[in-house]
Structures are given as structure tokens and as C-alpha cells.
Amino acid sequence: MDPTKSSTPPPPPVMGAPVAYPPAAYPPAAAAGAAAYAPQLYAPPAAAAAQQAAAAQQQLQMFWAEQYREIEATTDFKNHNLPLARIKKIMKADEDVRMIAAEAPVVFARACEMFILELTHRGWAHAEENKRRTLQKSDIGAAIARTEVFDFLVDIVPRDDAKDADAAAAAAAAAAAAGIPRPAAGVPATDPLAYYYVPQQ
């Protein structure tokens, strides 16, 4: 019979009594080292936002590295996610364009695909910051506003935030003071699909 094993059960614990742990379970040096590397259970909001931004940036870097590898490995130029005929039609909308080489719409199709993917990644990061699992127009607008490269889209995709509503109200008041006509009664003041269009001359 083993002397360390006994057939009698241990006595029930007494409320408030100290509990003895074996000394080998928590050596003093290991306890001090563990305290230095203990995981932080609560991160302050600023630290959490910085950590989330760093994660989004790392995700974008991984996205572009994967795109680069995919471009280098591409050998099949016959299958496309976007219709080449539509791309060619858009390219021919410019009166100065006479002839288009067969490779040009293929390159444009890939560039458009990468553009859409990056904008989606950046919009998704904004949706996750707001603890949502649905990508919305406001997420795309926020991604455009945050990224300097997408400044050319600021007028096409307006932001729909509450902060922007205050700015829009101030702009409407300034426009009224400047004598700019307002929409008729019953017509929404801001059309979410409206954008500035300059006809060709």
C-alpha cells in the first residue's frame, strides 16, 4: 500500500481558513516572472483603438503581399471577375481613345478588382471598430475619408455620420446665407445617391 494515498477523504474546507498550496506549484522566481508577463485583461479605450488600428494595418499589409504573390503566379489571363467588354466600353467613353490593345482591359480588370478589394478591407476594418458584422455605405465613406489615396472619391461617396450631420447643417446654413437655393418642400435636402457630374463639352 502506498503511504501517500489514503483511503480516508480529506476534511471539508473551513470558511475563511487559509489554503495551503504545495511550494513547488508556485516557485518565487516563476511567480515574479509571470507577474511581469501577465496578460492584460482590460485595455484602456485608447490602447484598444491603437491595437485595432495596428491589426487593421497588418491585415492590409498581408492583403497586399498576397496580391503581389498572386500577380506573380498568374498564368491564366482568360478568366476574369469583371466583364472585359464593359471595361472596354468605359475606356472608349473618352473621345480621345481610338484603339485599345487586347491587354489593356485585362490590366484594368485586375486593377479594378484590387481597388475594390482594398476599399472593402478598409471599410471592413471600420465596421469592426464599430462592432458590426455588416459592411455599410458609411464604412466605405469612412475608409475613403481616412485614406489619402482615395481623396478623389470624397465627393462621390459622402459620409453618413452624426458628426457629418452637424457639419452638413452648418454648411446648409452657410449656403442659405450665401443665397444658394434650397430644395423644394418634400424633397430631401441631401440625396444619398447624388454626386456632382460635369457633362462633357
Side-chain angles (χ1 to χ4, degrees):
M1 184 163 162
D2 188 8
T4 58
K5 294 182 182 176
S6 81
S7 61
T8 61
V14 178
M15 293 295 251
V19 179
Y21 292 102
Y26 300 102
Y37 299 106
Q40 189 173 4
L41 298 177
Y42 171 76
Q51 185 178 20
Q52 207 168 25
Q57 186 66 28
Q58 182 182 12
Q59 208 172 27
L60 274 172
Q61 288 175 347
M62 288 175 22
F63 163 75
W64 280 111
E66 178 62 30
Q67 291 298 311
Y68 187 72
R69 279 192 294 274
E70 190 176 314
I71 288 169
E72 287 184 337
T74 300
T75 57
D76 179 24
F77 294 100
K78 302 227 184 261
N79 298 323
H80 309 285
N81 292 334
L82 298 173
L84 295 182
R86 180 71 176 147
I87 292 171
K88 193 170 183 179
K89 186 176 180 181
I90 293 169
M91 291 170 71
K92 285 196 169 197
D94 186 356
E95 295 173 358
D96 296 336
V97 176
R98 301 279 183 237
M99 300 288 285
I100 298 173
E103 300 88 14
V106 174
V107 172
F108 268 102
R110 184 67 179 128
C112 289
E113 184 181 340
M114 291 169 62
F115 171 75
I116 292 167
L117 285 170
E118 181 176 1
L119 198 51
T120 303
H121 274 282
R122 291 181 183 273
W124 183 252
H126 185 264
E128 284 184 332
E129 284 176 15
N130 292 321
K131 297 177 179 36
R132 283 186 279 107
R133 301 294 292 170
T134 304
L135 188 64
Q136 297 176 353
K137 179 184 162 200
S138 61
D139 300 323
I140 302 300
I144 289 168
R146 290 179 180 181
T147 310
E148 190 175 328
V149 175
F150 297 143
D151 281 349
F152 69 99
L153 295 172
V154 169
D155 296 330
I156 298 171
V157 184
R159 290 189 60 178
D160 293 337
D161 290 5
K163 293 178 261 179
D164 290 342
D166 295 337
I180 298 173
R182 294 189 47 98
V187 176
T190 57
D191 181 8
L193 299 177
Y195 59 90
Y196 185 70
Y197 174 72
V198 179
Q200 290 183 350
Q201 296 177 352

